[in-house]
Amino acid sequence: MILLVITAIHEFQKDIRKMLRQSGVTSYSYYPVTGHKDDDAQSNSDNWFAGGPLESDSVMFQVFTNPENGDTMMQLARTFNDQQETINHIHIIKLAVTDVV
C-alpha cells in the first residue's frame, strides 16, 4: 500500500478527481488549504502591488491505494503538468506504507 499526498490550486480539483478515477482510485479524502509563498526575491520597493506574502486557494488530497494505481496517477499528473501553460502544477508525494492499524 502507498499514500499519495496531492496538492494543487483549487482550479485543478476537478482534473485531479478525474485522474483519480482513471487511476482506479475509488476512495480518498480532500481538504481546502491556503497555499502560501513569501516572495523575498523581489523587494517591495520594486513591486508597486506588493502586499505581503502571496496566498492562493488550494486543495490537498490524501489517497491510500495500491502501487499500480499510484504509478498511473503519477503518470497522469506528469502528462497534465507538461501540458500546462501556467506555472501552476499538480504536486504529488508518494510514500510507502508499511504498517496500518
Side-chain angles (χ1 to χ4, degrees):
M1 179 178 288
I2 62 167
L3 168 64
L4 299 178
V5 178
I6 305 167
T7 61
I9 59 172
H10 184 268
E11 290 79 4
F12 292 166
Q13 182 175 348
K14 288 182 182 179
D15 298 301
I16 294 170
R17 287 177 177 211
K18 180 179 176 184
M19 286 182 244
L20 288 167
R21 276 193 308 275
Q22 292 172 338
S23 299
V25 173
T26 58
S27 180
Y28 55 85
S29 300
Y30 71 96
Y31 317 90
V33 296
T34 301
H36 178 87
K37 180 178 181 181
D38 283 327
D39 192 7
D40 291 336
Q42 184 177 20
S43 80
N44 287 344
S45 63
D46 294 338
N47 182 358
W48 290 26
F49 301 104
L54 305 172
E55 293 185 347
S56 62
D57 291 332
S58 300
V59 64
M60 181 175 69
F61 288 78
Q62 182 179 347
V63 181
F64 288 97
T65 190
N66 64 52
E68 295 79 21
N69 292 355
D71 291 343
T72 302
M73 181 62 195
M74 296 285 285
Q75 185 55 48
L76 289 170
R78 281 188 189 101
T79 301
F80 179 87
N81 288 342
D82 289 344
Q83 296 172 353
Q84 290 306 302
E85 295 180 9
T86 67
I87 61 170
N88 297 311
H89 289 103
I90 295 171
H91 303 280
I92 302 178
I93 299 170
K94 180 170 65 169
L95 302 167
V97 177
T98 58
D99 195 14
V100 178
V101 176

